Amino acid sequence: GAIRPLLRIIESHANMELRLALIRLLGSSQPPDLVFQFQRLLANNSLPLELRNAVREAVANTNVNKSHPVSSAGLLNSK
């Protein structure tokens, strides 16, 4: 759905920094279906290694966040 245009930019835009920024943005916003869409990107063998590594990191961070959610109260008490 809504992230497909962003995924197309990640796959084919000329500006590497823009592509990496979109991966980080999507990884931090965690839209529904993100892991599936990122796995689809990883299946694209023509994706540069730097992007593939960024996608892998975003997927790993998504999985960590889902298995260890942090409440805002926990953030405030951790200081």
Side-chain angles (χ1 to χ4, degrees), residues 71-78:
S71 69
S72 58
L75 290 174
L76 294 174
N77 294 331
S78 65

Side-chain angles (χ1 to χ4, degrees), residues 6 19-31 34 38:
L6 299 175
R19 296 164 81 178
L20 289 167
L22 283 175
I23 292 168
R24 289 189 299 269
L25 174 68
L26 289 173
S28 67
S29 64
Q30 298 184 11
L34 177 68
F38 273 177

Side-chain angles (χ1 to χ4, degrees), residues 6 8 11-13 20 23-24 31 34 36-37 42-43 47-48 52 63-65 69 71 73-76:
L6 299 175
R8 282 195 295 271
E11 289 177 307
S12 61
H13 198 277
L20 289 167
I23 292 168
R24 289 189 299 269
L34 177 68
F36 172 77
Q37 294 297 336
L42 288 173
L47 206 62
R52 292 170 61 83
N63 291 335
V64 166
N65 290 339
S71 69
L75 290 174
L76 294 174

